[in-house]
Amino acid sequence: MQPSRDIKGLLDIMAALRQPETGCPWDVVQTFDTIKPYTIEEAYEVADAIERADMHDLCDELGDLLLQVVFHARIAEEAGAFSFDDVVEAITRKMIRRHPHVFDRSDADTPERVKAQWDAIKKAEKRERSERRAGRGLPPESDEGYLGSVQRSFPALVEALKLQERAAKVGFDWSEPEPILDKIEEEIGELREALRAGDRARVADELGDLIFAVVNIGRHTDTDAEMALRGTNAKFRRRFAHIETELHAAGETLEQATLERMENLWQAAKAIERQLG
């Protein structure tokens, strides 16, 4: 095997890894379910490389994500379900169909019209999918009402955002951010009450309500809650690393340092960040 720019090279590598007699013992025993967490992880690593504007890492992480697609397709091919070629054909057909304003005739000449057209085409595709399932003798997909199209498998923040966006399409939404801030304050008050009562189940419930409201304020300000939290996580890493570095320089350890000492170093890290802009 040699590195190649041809997708066939990657497909051949995966086929070799999955050979029961001569392949990799780890790869051979993998299933859709066992590699699913890696697929999600690789998607997040792509997002991380984009956030860091590291083009070298982005190229590398996109390759890792592509490998996940190839892996799933290989498992499916071995089961006689579909192949990588079928995956490519399906997405090319879908993209052509969903962009008639590019590949056919359409009056969708603004982002808003394109979005409305996209949603209409997706609805038509869903009806056709139901008809195909019926034609194969399969039971209809579970009907969960208007919000049924929002996947429960999404990360919780993404699911919350999708649920809110879906509900907003039928007018179940605030018209501006300010009332959402009031809602957040209300949820904080209810969380305080639950904490005082020592009711752990209620604390979890109220905390969920608070996070859901915070996602909503992000949506109304065009701020992706997932990416905002990732930014905060990165900031926490930087500031905590400053604490660790300063303690090490002073001959101290994290375990030995008092909370007051670490808080002072944290504030110093914040001051440095402000100076650097």
Side-chain angles (χ1 to χ4, degrees), residues 38-91:
Y38 300 105
T39 306
I40 296 170
E41 180 181 326
E42 295 300 348
Y44 277 117
E45 291 185 358
V46 167
D48 178 64
I50 292 172
E51 185 177 335
R52 292 184 286 105
D54 189 325
M55 292 300 102
H56 182 275
D57 274 7
L58 178 57
C59 178
D60 193 53
E61 298 300 347
L62 285 171
D64 290 345
L65 185 57
L66 176 59
L67 176 65
Q68 295 298 309
V69 177
V70 170
F71 209 149
H72 283 287
R74 180 64 193 182
I75 295 174
E77 184 173 3
E78 292 168 359
F82 59 83
S83 68
F84 181 80
D85 289 344
D86 294 323
V87 173
V88 174
E89 182 181 6
I91 188 58

Side-chain angles (χ1 to χ4, degrees), residues 146 165-175:
Y146 184 73
E165 289 176 339
R166 183 80 172 141
K169 290 183 179 181
V170 292
F172 192 73
D173 193 16
W174 279 286
S175 58

